[in-house]
Amino acid sequence: SDDMGVKHPFEKFKLTKLFVFYLILVSFDIVTTLMTDVDLKYEGNVITTFFVNNKYEFIVYVYTIAFASVICVYFSNQYLIKSYYCEKKNVQKLFLSSIIIVFFITHLLSLFWVIPNNILHNIGINGNTEWPLFQISKLYIHFGVRFYPYYQIIMQVVLFVFAILIFM
């Protein structure tokens, strides 16, 4: 907060905790993805499959994006805080900083969908009828395959709208 008692949504301590939490979720995403499919033949992210060929490239790729996101959000947040006190604001930098933070929030929210998605795929692909949630996971996989890529697009749009609302 500033001297006048105004609270900023991404104060440094809260931001650090958020980044740690985000990186933990990214790690769970990596683990649950590779738990399901070490060869990445069922990977649903077309961008990821374009850039990676094996699990090691996948790990490096995902962590590179995650750390780059953290760095971009940190500097965007710092710029937004500084511009709050500045009379003359650079509209392009404000817009870019806002977009970076909204996309970060979107990715953070999407991890709450992606991790359970990976777990259900793991159960459906690698499990058997005696596993808990096996029948539900089979239905979920069938639903996802039947409505691919629309299901993923709709989920990302919904999460993007939520991210904008959170940012505002």
Side-chain angles (χ1 to χ4, degrees):
S1 71
D2 62 24
D3 296 333
M4 302 173 77
V6 176
K7 294 255 182 197
H8 300 289
F10 282 152
E11 292 179 50
K12 284 185 181 179
F13 180 69
K14 290 180 183 175
L15 193 59
T16 303
K17 287 177 23 180
L18 182 66
F19 287 156
V20 169
F21 182 64
Y22 170 73
L23 292 172
I24 289 170
L25 287 177
V26 166
S27 298
F28 279 131
D29 177 25
I30 291 170
V31 168
T32 57
T33 297
L34 294 176
M35 206 171 67
T36 303
D37 182 22
V38 176
D39 300 332
L40 301 170
K41 63 184 172 201
Y42 298 114
E43 175 58 37
N45 187 331
V46 220
I47 298 168
T48 300
T49 56
F50 180 79
F51 286 107
V52 301
N53 293 317
N54 60 56
K55 69 179 179 181
Y56 303 109
E57 288 179 7
F58 175 73
I59 293 167
V60 170
Y61 171 78
V62 172
Y63 276 129
T64 300
I65 290 174
F67 283 110
S69 297
V70 165
I71 291 166
C72 289
V73 168
Y74 176 80
F75 286 113
S76 295
N77 181 59
Q78 293 305 306
Y79 181 78
L80 288 178
I81 290 171
K82 287 177 186 171
S83 70
Y84 178 79
Y85 297 104
C86 185
E87 288 288 323
K88 189 176 178 183
K89 295 175 175 40
N90 182 326
V91 176
Q92 289 88 2
K93 285 185 180 178
L94 283 171
F95 182 72
L96 180 60
S97 295
S98 300
I99 291 296
I100 288 169
I101 292 173
V102 166
F103 274 104
F104 173 79
I105 295 169
T106 302
H107 189 233
L108 177 67
L109 292 175
S110 75
L111 290 168
F112 288 103
W113 163 61
V114 168
I115 294 167
N117 175 69
N118 290 344
I119 292 168
L120 284 173
H121 276 82
N122 180 42
I123 293 168
I125 293 169
N126 301 320
N128 61 51
T129 54
E130 295 181 19
W131 284 34
L133 303 175
F134 183 77
Q135 293 305 323
I136 292 171
S137 68
K138 283 294 192 187
L139 291 171
Y140 178 75
I141 290 170
H142 178 69
F143 173 81
V145 168
R146 183 168 184 213
F147 295 105
Y148 180 84
Y150 307 108
Y151 174 58
Q152 286 190 336
I153 293 169
I154 290 169
M155 287 300 295
Q156 291 301 324
V157 168
V158 167
L159 294 169
F160 181 70
V161 168
F162 279 133
I164 292 171
L165 293 173
I166 290 169
F167 179 73
M168 292 169 49

